[in-house]
Amino acid sequence: MIGAVVATFLTATVEWVEAYTILLAVALSIGWRRAAGAGLAAMAALGVLTAAGTVALAHAGNLLFLQFLVGFFLILFGVRWLGKAIARQAGLKKLHDEAAEFAALRARAEIFDPRAAWVIAFNGVLLEGLEVWLIVVALGVQTHHTLAAACAALAAAALVLAAGFFARGPLANVPENTIKFTVGCGILALGTFWVLEALGYQWPVGEFSILVLFCFNVAGGLAVARSYKMRLA
């Protein structure tokens, strides 16, 4: 349970930071009331998706297939985040810059149109939140702690909003690449564990194997990043 809650919190933190950047850019154009309305509408949509997804998966007949499906999607998610983090750490891809993203949004002409800006804010929060939704449903259903995972995601949203209130600007100092690297390793470990277990593999040390897989992913990711750095040097 603790691993699922931590993974959800960290994932949500990164996604909510990006969503907050969009909301801030929109709010400075059409006002906080309209921007907040768009954000709340997107959060409501995510809440409905979470409830529907949880019910659908919880009532799946074949538990082993469900475990395999959840693990498979977590592997895809983990590989995506870990791959991007490695590429950025190795210098193959630029680090994500929230200040630059904010400036680009402010430069868009449609952001000054109330209706278009509302749609931008709604879509921004919804799209960034979809990855949070995936993690909440996948980890929550598999560990039978969906409520705890959802609360972790909401806590991350509250933290980001509080930080944004005090920063009065884009949250450019969040160590996004480090978080994505860590979460990618963790999600990949969980997904690998559940997929192989669903296929009938008996892990030698049970759930402690998740920690071993996590350490393996961290060591492998750092080694790959260092290898690319040496090639580019």
Side-chain angles (χ1 to χ4, degrees), residues 40-232:
L40 289 174
M43 292 292 285
L46 289 170
V48 172
L49 286 174
T50 300
T54 300
V55 171
L57 291 178
H59 287 81
N62 191 326
L63 295 181
L64 285 179
F65 176 74
L66 172 61
Q67 181 175 330
F68 177 86
L69 183 64
V70 169
F72 178 74
F73 278 109
L74 289 179
I75 287 175
L76 293 180
F77 185 92
V79 167
R80 176 171 170 266
W81 270 38
L82 183 57
K84 285 185 177 181
I86 290 173
R88 286 171 175 160
Q89 188 169 341
L92 298 173
K93 188 175 182 179
K94 290 183 178 179
L95 292 174
H96 187 81
D97 189 340
E98 287 300 322
E101 290 289 333
F102 177 76
L105 281 168
R106 294 287 293 158
R108 293 173 61 175
E110 61 266 33
I111 205 170
F112 295 98
D113 178 81
R115 292 184 180 180
W118 193 95
V119 172
I120 290 173
F122 176 83
N123 288 341
V125 175
L126 183 63
L127 292 176
E128 298 297 343
L130 282 176
E131 292 190 0
V132 178
W133 166 79
L134 173 63
I135 293 298
V136 168
V137 173
L139 294 182
V141 169
Q142 184 60 33
T143 62
H144 307 291
H145 289 97
T146 305
L147 180 59
C151 288
L154 291 175
L159 177 64
V160 169
L161 287 176
F165 176 79
F166 288 107
R168 304 288 182 175
L171 300 175
N173 295 323
V174 174
E176 179 179 329
N177 199 59
T178 300
I179 294 176
K180 283 194 171 184
F181 181 87
T182 304
V183 173
C185 290
I187 296 299
L188 183 56
L190 287 169
T192 303
F193 179 85
W194 286 335
V195 163
L196 291 181
E197 188 177 58
L199 292 175
Y201 180 72
Q202 298 294 323
W203 292 96
V205 290
E207 292 188 353
F208 285 104
S209 300
I210 297 174
L211 179 59
V212 177
L213 289 169
F214 172 75
C215 294
F216 175 81
N217 292 337
V218 170
L222 292 175
V224 171
R226 184 174 181 180
S227 175
Y228 274 114
K229 273 186 177 181
M230 293 176 64
R231 290 184 184 182
L232 295 174

